[in-house]
Amino acid sequence: MESYSIKEIQAHIKQTEYRPKDKQASFLKLVEEVGELSEAIRKDSRMTETKSIKGTIEEELYDVLYYVLVLANQYGIDMEEAMRLKEEIKQQKMAKRKVEDERKKLEDSST
């Protein structure tokens, strides 16, 4: 089984999406797919149990990812770059939180 990077999936979607400029329709499809994901999660429908991807959490997660990448293409956003930048912010927050937690532990142990 082949694996694909986000950049490769995004490029594939850019080549095959039939409504490349309809941002509102794409957003509404994303919302619809999130609803379908919610239902699949509520039912705990997994591909390992059904032997088919149809209606499963796996399928709906892909559909959500698909429309996220469609929207990224429509807005000219490189999702790998966005992910890298966002991860840097997350790491900075985590480092700051760790320092604050350590400071609090020291304060608590000294009282």
Side-chain angles (χ1 to χ4, degrees):
M1 181 168 116
E2 262 186 271
S3 63
Y4 301 96
S5 69
I6 295 294
K7 189 174 288 300
E8 291 169 325
I9 298 168
Q10 192 170 351
H12 172 74
I13 290 169
K14 192 172 193 173
Q15 292 175 342
T16 60
E17 176 57 28
Y18 66 96
R19 290 183 302 199
K21 295 182 182 179
D22 195 346
K23 295 172 186 168
Q24 183 177 5
S26 297
F27 178 72
L28 292 174
K29 280 298 292 177
L30 173 60
V31 171
E32 178 183 328
E33 295 301 341
V34 168
E36 291 175 10
L37 173 60
S38 175
E39 183 178 353
I41 288 171
R42 181 178 54 79
K43 292 178 178 178
D44 198 23
S45 179
R46 297 297 310 275
M47 197 168 72
T48 53
E49 296 164 2
T50 64
K51 307 297 184 230
S52 168
I53 196 168
K54 194 71 183 147
T56 63
I57 295 170
E58 291 86 350
E59 177 187 30
E60 301 310 336
L61 281 170
Y62 174 79
D63 290 346
V64 167
L65 177 61
Y66 179 90
Y67 282 102
V68 165
L69 295 177
V70 165
L71 284 164
N73 284 340
Q74 290 171 331
Y75 282 96
I77 296 168
D78 176 340
M79 281 306 294
E80 283 192 352
E81 178 67 5
M83 290 169 60
R84 185 189 64 74
L85 293 170
K86 183 62 178 174
E87 191 60 28
E88 286 177 12
I89 293 169
K90 180 180 153 194
Q91 293 301 322
Q92 291 169 358
K93 284 181 181 179
M94 289 174 62
K96 183 179 177 183
R97 187 175 300 135
K98 185 176 180 181
V99 168
E100 290 171 356
D101 289 348
E102 290 298 320
R103 181 183 50 78
K104 186 173 185 220
K105 284 181 187 176
L106 286 172
E107 288 174 357
D108 289 348
S109 67
S110 66
T111 56

